[in-house]
Amino acid sequence: MASRVSVSAPPKEGEVTTGPIYRSHKHYNEVAFSNDFGEATLRVPVRRIDLTDGTHFDAYDTSGIYTEESPALNLKEGLAKVRDSWPSAPAVAASVDAPADAPKVRTQLAWARAGIVTPEMAYIAAREGVDVEVVREEVAAGRAVIPANHKHPEIEPMIIGKRFATKVNANIGNSAVTSSISEEVEKMVWATRWGADTIMDLSTGKDIHETREWILRNSPVPVGTVPIYQALEKVKGDPAKLTWEIYRDTIIEQCEQGVDYMTVHAGVLLRYVPLAANRVTGIVSRGGSIMAAWCLAHHKESFLYTRFAELCDILAQYDVTFSLGDGLRPGSIADANDEAQLAELRTLGELTKIAKSRGCQVMIEGPGHVPMHKIAINVKWEEEWCEEAPFYTLGPLATDIAPGYDHITSAIGAAIIAQAGTAMLCYVTPKEHLGLPNRDDVKVGVITYKISAHAADLAKGLPCAQERDDALSKARFEFRWHDQFALALDPDTALDYHDETLPAEPAKTAHFCSMCGPKFCSMRISKDVQDYAKENGLDSVEAIEAGMAEKSQEFTDAGGRVYLPIASE
Amino acid sequence: MASRVSVSAPPKEGEVTTGPIYRSHKHYNEVAFSNDFGEATLRVPVRRIDLTDGTHFDAYDTSGIYTEESPALNLKEGLAKVRDSWPSAPAVAASVDAPADAPKVRTQLAWARAGIVTPEMAYIAAREGVDVEVVREEVAAGRAVIPANHKHPEIEPMIIGKRFATKVNANIGNSAVTSSISEEVEKMVWATRWGADTIMDLSTGKDIHETREWILRNSPVPVGTVPIYQALEKVKGDPAKLTWEIYRDTIIEQCEQGVDYMTVHAGVLLRYVPLAANRVTGIVSRGGSIMAAWCLAHHKESFLYTRFAELCDILAQYDVTFSLGDGLRPGSIADANDEAQLAELRTLGELTKIAKSRGCQVMIEGPGHVPMHKIAINVKWEEEWCEEAPFYTLGPLATDIAPGYDHITSAIGAAIIAQAGTAMLCYVTPKEHLGLPNRDDVKVGVITYKISAHAADLAKGLPCAQERDDALSKARFEFRWHDQFALALDPDTALDYHDETLPAEPAKTAHFCSMCGPKFCSMRISKDVQDYAKENGLDSVEAIEAGMAEKSQEFTDAGGRVYLPIASE
């Protein structure tokens, strides 16, 4: 694999997309860090958007070195292991209520509880624009997680919690049916280019280990997996043949590789399976259906549930974060918020307590298909039953009737559930229910979910969220087209669409919108109205009500035209 | 212009798209109607979706005869003038509180108040699946409107009101910059094919009258306009030169042609203009900016406001519905719910009372750009100040930062505002802010807004809304791929996407999803789990808890596999 500078067209086999985003450049803010265990200079990246007036706007950046002007890439070696040079604290007690058999641990949760500020916390504070104590407190309370396996030193640390910017996960991964390793690596680079905060490798086909290795070594963002998929491959696809030993070995293999968080469907209990028997769409989680099959076949609780404490101690060794899976999530509007779903969520609450007592970071997976009026209550239940562990939800899709557009059906649900407090959204692409997403689908999925996440951040009144909206709208009103494109979530598409109607470069500085032509451009007229009102002291209700008729006369005398056509028709 | 049977590719210049939607056929339910003034047989269309099990699902159908197998089209003559043969009631008092100078009128509002059930009301009741008295009561209360100009007998009547299915409007129309008449007619046919309930012709270029004539004569749905655009053309684009006489003549010209509803920006008062002076994006409504310019230039209230009663009496003659325009709607997140917007809305409330007292049907236009947490209150204000007149909103866009994806930023806002009570949503296409929508953009805009409308109808618990979701999800779980596509809002796209991953016809009956391959198909496993559980009496919690270990043994003996791979890997 080699690097390549390009944006629109897919790269050649074995290459990945590199180079800056439109009118932006990578900038690193240097943060001096020190604690009792050492010091480091943290280089925190931003996408610096260069505006035409000489100023700039700094945007949160997930894209790693790939968007540098000339990144020093070596895909075979992987990214630099930056975190290895940061000071690391020693093992501490897992928690004040840790069971007697729980070993001391080196996790962000345990350190936060012990009052230790880690380099990861400082890095995140700079990235999010908040005080580092906010980061430490939220992690200590278990309301936020920092997925960062000690064996994954390449990542740029990030946080998942409702007090921070809402995050977006992009699923990639090959299957028995389609796609190759290099395609998956490019999907990772491509997804993070457009703003994916984490990626999940959901590969189920051959070469699972190798695919994951390439992704991990080259990913600037945390990587999640669902280890049961690989375990199932090891028993040739027969759920009943799964054992604790096979699963445990798979977990250790993935921990050693550097996976940052793992979906574990430990809440699918035997007695919940009948609850799903009369659903319209049964069990739609792959992991959930596998575990349900196992429970039925053996007629007992799964090893994920019975061996959960052991599992915790393995994950804690690496500081791998639990993503407690919703194996019984609803797969249709009809099944939303039913007893199967809620029973499992209550069990995830119990498991959360166990994991945290052993020092593990935990987030909780949720939704699926849920109608709008049943969405917000999901967050309330999750917070109540799971001690406000960060909620990580798929969509939810707000209707079942639009296959081909499920990025949109779910963007509606995702925005609503994020506003209600979900910390990370798992994207849905246009191919959901129909096929595997290609590179274009991945981009559409990511951008769509960045919209939902940002809309929710605006609604939550997150500091800084509105600054970008204001900057873009100001550029729009001032006909600074290039700035409008540059500040957009997807400048390339905005530019392409503008080109379709008015391709010439002068149109990029034209004082009218391409929809209406110069004469009917409301922005144009409005700006003239505004300028005129200000110049003539008509920008207050008092001035207007004082009845300044002479001003009106002047305006008429001056031509009375509030627009100046600048293009022939 | 001639007809043509095709779906995906755009038709040739001068032709329009015809033919049934995937696995559907046009069906007409015949409704015998009579009242004191005559009788008629109403033929109410549905899209009958033919399912593979021999049953069918009837969907609300907006597409007119164009989706018949072999429509008898003559675009030059236009559609049959069906409503001309229906009994029409005589003029009645405009209202109980009608001013002394108000003439008697022939409007759905006045008739509804007089207890008269019209053929349009009966047609709509059959279409919506509700009792005709519900229709009459909602219209009488002014909570719903039936936009149906007496001079537009070609339309299939529909209703806009919060107790009915949420409606979607698609804007079309040429501008000085782009597009031709035949393109616009095709956009109308294309938009209604995918579910647009009304269309607005926003043409501003040359041939405004002729473009509108073609659209009106061939449209199966009500057509709206913004008459100020044509009036402005008549004064060569100079807002200050607009007069009541020019505007009045334009209104009459359009009423005579058959326009069903008209946007009138009568709420832009002189004293509100300064309220917009310090906004981030000023006045973004074209009509609003034109009227603001007029008010400033003449330093007095506009003729739309001062001559409003006269305007009412003209519209009432034809039963043209007012769509009171939001000339001061916010064009950015920063400007949402500001005093300019609210001041105008209060004035629209006053105008609503005047219009209704003179027998006119009224709806109120709203939003624009509004963050999620400020959306629902808009509906509350509108209902309080405007006597619950149907709210008709553009989006709103829930963030400003995604030009190129504003169908999505606004689908989020649209779903939320529709759930809160908006009766009709004005679509936004991916080209919003960037260019004029082409045929593909129109389709994406319509489908996206059908999603928002339907999601809201589910959330409002509208009778029948969930039936389609359940039918589609059932088809999905039973691997009836063709039925899943047919029940989708856009079968063609769903089918195309499935073909991309698994093109062969056998894949359309395969018992696994194309995402995961056979082994990891949760639906497949889940269905086996479900079947097994039912066959073995394990479909209740009691049975499971009774500890039927022998069942487990049987299951294992039977091969223990809950899936049967049906494709080689």
Side-chain angles (χ1 to χ4, degrees), chain B residues 462-520:
Chain B
L462 213 77
C464 309
Q466 201 180 315
E467 284 177 16
R468 188 159 169 186
D469 294 70
D470 293 350
L472 190 146
S473 287
K474 198 158 173 286
R476 181 175 282 157
F477 194 61
E478 292 170 0
F479 297 102
R480 287 185 279 115
W481 289 97
H482 284 299
D483 290 346
Q484 186 186 159
F485 303 146
L487 287 158
L489 283 178
D490 177 4
D492 299 343
T493 297
L495 190 57
D496 283 353
Y497 285 179
H498 193 256
D499 280 349
E500 264 183 50
T501 308
L502 290 174
E505 176 56 29
K508 303 291 181 281
T509 50
H511 280 202
F512 58 90
C513 300
S514 47
M515 288 81 81
C516 318
K519 203 160 60 185
F520 280 89

Side-chain angles (χ1 to χ4, degrees), chain A residues 334-450:
Chain A
D335 297 340
N337 295 12
D338 72 353
E339 189 46 34
Q341 180 193 337
L342 301 191
E344 183 187 31
L345 184 59
R346 284 189 207 97
T347 299
L348 298 187
E350 291 166 33
L351 298 171
T352 301
K353 288 187 185 64
I354 296 169
K356 284 166 68 179
S357 75
R358 305 185 85 88
C360 285
Q361 301 190 85
V362 181
M363 54 185 173
I364 305 290
E365 297 186 7
H369 294 234
V370 185
M372 292 170 74
H373 63 301
K374 293 186 177 178
I375 291 176
I377 186 75
N378 273 276
V379 179
K380 193 172 163 288
W381 286 325
E382 190 273 344
E383 293 188 342
E384 204 172 304
W385 300 340
C386 304
E387 302 187 336
E388 296 183 82
F391 207 19
Y392 169 30
T393 65
L394 178 77
L397 288 70
T399 170
D400 305 340
I401 69 167
Y405 298 80
D406 279 331
H407 58 310
I408 300 177
T409 63
S410 67
I412 294 168
I416 294 170
I417 206 161
Q419 180 185 13
T422 282
M424 183 157 78
L425 301 169
C426 182
Y427 86 168
V428 170
T429 79
K431 291 283 168 59
E432 184 76 11
H433 299 117
L434 299 169
L436 269 184
N438 60 26
R439 190 168 170 271
D440 288 343
D441 298 320
V442 166
K443 178 173 173 181
V444 169
V446 171
I447 299 282
T448 300
Y449 269 67
K450 295 300 280 187

Side-chain angles (χ1 to χ4, degrees), chain B residues 88-257:
Chain B
S88 182
V92 296
S95 71
V96 288
D97 59 345
D101 66 332
K104 285 191 171 185
V105 296
R106 294 171 58 245
T107 67
Q108 299 289 336
L109 173 61
W111 285 326
R113 282 166 164 169
I116 297 168
V117 170
T118 64
E120 285 80 7
M121 295 175 201
Y123 188 102
I124 286 161
R127 240 180 151 173
E128 300 269 350
V130 299
D131 191 90
V132 72
E133 261 308 294
V134 174
V135 175
R136 193 197 59 75
E137 278 170 18
E138 291 296 300
V139 172
R143 282 191 300 266
V145 296
I146 299 174
N149 185 334
H150 298 309
K151 300 266 185 174
H152 196 193
E154 297 92 346
I155 57 164
E156 299 173 345
M158 52 77 72
I159 195 162
I160 301 166
K162 66 178 170 177
R163 285 192 59 179
F164 306 96
T166 305
K167 302 303 188 294
V168 172
N169 171 69
N171 290 337
I172 59 171
N174 57 11
S175 80
V177 180
T178 60
S179 79
S180 72
I181 291 179
S182 67
E183 259 180 68
E184 296 312 311
V185 175
E186 165 60 9
K187 275 188 202 163
M188 175 277 289
V189 171
W190 188 240
T192 56
R193 180 180 186 88
W194 299 113
D197 293 284
T198 75
I199 63 118
M200 288 193 83
D201 173 18
L202 303 185
S203 294
T204 57
K206 59 188 165 70
D207 307 324
I208 289 188
H209 185 98
E210 199 192 343
T211 303
R212 194 169 53 231
E213 184 67 21
W214 279 96
I215 291 172
L216 279 165
R217 296 290 73 80
N218 291 291
S219 176
V221 302
V223 175
T225 60
V226 187
I228 200 81
Y229 296 170
Q230 189 182 7
L232 192 66
E233 290 287 340
K234 291 180 180 177
V235 293
K236 301 197 168 30
D238 183 349
K241 294 216 165 64
L242 284 165
T243 63
W244 161 245
E245 288 72 21
I246 289 168
Y247 185 80
R248 181 197 58 204
D249 293 349
T250 308
I251 288 277
I252 292 170
E253 173 189 338
Q254 297 199 9
C255 284
E256 282 289 327
Q257 255 186 317

Side-chain angles (χ1 to χ4, degrees), chain B residues 301-511:
Chain B
E301 298 306 354
S302 82
F303 47 82
L304 298 179
Y305 184 76
T306 58
R307 303 284 192 137
F308 190 71
E310 285 172 71
L311 200 50
C312 290
D313 294 343
I314 298 170
L315 265 60
Q317 260 186 282
Y318 301 85
D319 200 6
V320 170
T321 299
F322 271 108
S323 187
L324 292 178
D326 53 340
L328 302 177
R329 72 164 177 268
S332 57
I333 292 296
D335 297 341
N337 295 12
D338 71 354
E339 189 46 34
Q341 180 194 337
L342 301 192
E344 183 187 32
L345 184 60
R346 284 189 205 95
T347 299
L348 298 186
E350 292 168 30
L351 297 171
T352 301
K353 287 187 184 63
I354 296 170
K356 283 166 68 180
S357 75
R358 304 185 87 89
C360 286
Q361 301 189 86
V362 182
M363 55 185 172
I364 305 290
E365 297 185 8
H369 293 234
V370 185
M372 291 171 75
H373 62 302
K374 293 186 177 178
I375 291 176
I377 187 76
N378 273 275
V379 179
K380 194 174 163 285
W381 286 325
E382 190 273 343
E383 293 189 343
E384 202 172 307
W385 300 340
C386 303
E387 302 186 336
E388 295 184 83
F391 207 19
Y392 168 29
T393 66
L394 179 76
L397 287 70
T399 170
D400 305 340
I401 69 167
Y405 298 80
D406 280 331
H407 58 309
I408 299 176
T409 64
S410 67
I412 294 168
I416 294 170
I417 206 162
Q419 181 185 12
T422 282
M424 184 157 78
L425 302 168
C426 183
Y427 86 167
V428 171
T429 78
K431 290 284 168 61
E432 184 76 11
H433 299 118
L434 300 169
L436 270 184
N438 61 26
R439 189 170 171 271
D440 287 343
D441 298 320
V442 166
K443 178 173 173 182
V444 170
V446 171
I447 298 282
T448 300
Y449 269 67
K450 295 299 279 187
I451 290 169
S452 293
H454 185 79
D457 287 346
L458 283 176
K460 288 162 69 176
L462 213 77
C464 309
Q466 201 180 315
E467 284 177 16
R468 188 159 169 186
D469 294 70
D470 293 350
L472 190 146
S473 287
K474 198 158 173 286
R476 181 175 282 157
F477 194 61
E478 292 170 0
F479 297 102
R480 287 185 279 115
W481 289 97
H482 284 299
D483 290 346
Q484 186 186 159
F485 303 146
L487 287 158
L489 283 178
D490 177 4
D492 299 343
T493 297
L495 190 57
D496 283 353
Y497 285 179
H498 193 256
D499 280 349
E500 264 183 50
T501 308
L502 290 174
E505 176 56 29
K508 303 291 181 281
T509 50
H511 280 202

Side-chain angles (χ1 to χ4, degrees), chain B residues 288-304:
Chain B
S289 64
I290 294 164
M291 295 321 297
W294 192 96
C295 291
L296 273 194
H298 295 273
H299 204 75
K300 59 184 183 191
E301 298 306 354
S302 82
F303 47 82
L304 298 179

Side-chain angles (χ1 to χ4, degrees), chain A residues 243-271:
Chain A
T243 64
W244 161 245
E245 289 71 23
I246 289 168
Y247 186 78
R248 182 197 57 203
D249 292 350
T250 307
I251 289 276
I252 292 171
E253 173 188 339
Q254 298 199 8
C255 284
E256 281 290 328
Q257 256 188 316
V259 169
D260 300 289
Y261 65 92
M262 295 181 185
T263 297
V264 178
H265 296 96
V268 178
L269 300 191
L270 179 60
R271 65 179 177 276

Side-chain angles (χ1 to χ4, degrees), chain A residues 202-257:
Chain A
L202 303 186
S203 295
T204 57
K206 57 187 166 71
D207 306 325
I208 289 187
H209 185 99
E210 199 190 343
T211 303
R212 194 168 55 231
E213 184 66 21
W214 279 94
I215 292 172
L216 280 165
R217 296 289 74 80
N218 290 291
S219 176
V221 303
V223 175
T225 59
V226 187
I228 200 81
Y229 297 170
Q230 189 182 7
L232 191 66
E233 290 287 341
K234 293 181 180 175
V235 294
K236 300 195 166 36
D238 183 349
K241 294 215 165 66
L242 284 165
T243 64
W244 161 245
E245 289 71 23
I246 289 168
Y247 186 78
R248 182 197 57 203
D249 292 350
T250 307
I251 289 276
I252 292 171
E253 173 188 339
Q254 298 199 8
C255 284
E256 281 290 328
Q257 256 188 316

